Amino acid sequence: MMTRAEVTELVVTQKLKKGLKWPDIAKVVGQSKEWTAAALLGQMTLTTQQAQAAGELLELPEDAVLQLQVTPYKGSLPSAIPTDPLIYRFYELVNIYGTTFKSLIHEEFGDGIMSAIDFKMDLERENDPAGDRVRIVMSGKFLPYKQY
């Protein structure tokens, strides 16, 4: 049986070999490109139908299709500060603006958190004459802390 990490490596390899992009795979899976990428990179659980569709498109072995249906151990980053430049910039963003996010969310909603479980994301290119920009919209359900 393949490990989930081996399945992720195989997915990435097959995606490259077939010249596919995440939106192409998302259409077959029936979800957004953001969710599909997260799922096939090991962070979400696919239904049987979604896993079979992805497996057929990517020509994955049966045990890989089964692994796509197993609830993953979430969190793909190491516990140390990430060294990949793109991922580090997100770490930097949270390091600089995290307290601002926290303050603004608490001011608007009260004491609680933004869910990463009941969550949506949209990523797109934003054309700009000074150089294209990355636009990311994140929407997570607000979950208040309860008193007991």
Side-chain angles (χ1 to χ4, degrees), residues 3-68:
T3 67
R4 190 58 188 88
E6 291 169 335
V7 172
T8 298
E9 287 181 30
L10 181 58
V11 164
V12 171
T13 300
Q14 291 297 95
K15 179 182 171 289
L16 288 170
K17 278 184 180 178
K18 295 181 166 294
L20 295 168
K21 295 199 177 276
W22 290 117
D24 304 324
I25 302 169
K27 281 183 187 172
V28 172
V29 170
Q31 296 294 326
S32 70
K33 69 182 183 295
E34 295 82 7
W35 187 91
T36 300
L40 292 175
L41 293 174
Q43 296 303 302
M44 303 291 168
T45 309
L46 282 80
T47 65
T48 301
Q49 184 179 353
Q50 291 167 335
Q52 288 173 345
E56 194 172 303
L57 178 66
L58 296 168
E59 298 180 18
L60 302 177
E62 185 180 330
D63 58 336
V65 172
L66 289 173
Q67 279 286 5
L68 293 173

Side-chain angles (χ1 to χ4, degrees), residues 65-104:
V65 172
L66 289 173
Q67 279 286 5
L68 293 173
Q69 299 169 68
V70 174
T71 303
Y73 184 87
K74 297 193 190 281
S76 59
L77 298 178
S79 58
I81 297 171
T83 56
D84 178 277
L86 190 138
I87 295 173
Y88 173 78
R89 292 298 176 234
F90 282 98
Y91 177 84
E92 180 182 48
L93 185 145
V94 171
N95 205 22
I96 293 170
Y97 293 104
T99 54
T100 302
F101 293 149
K102 179 178 173 58
S103 179
L104 291 170

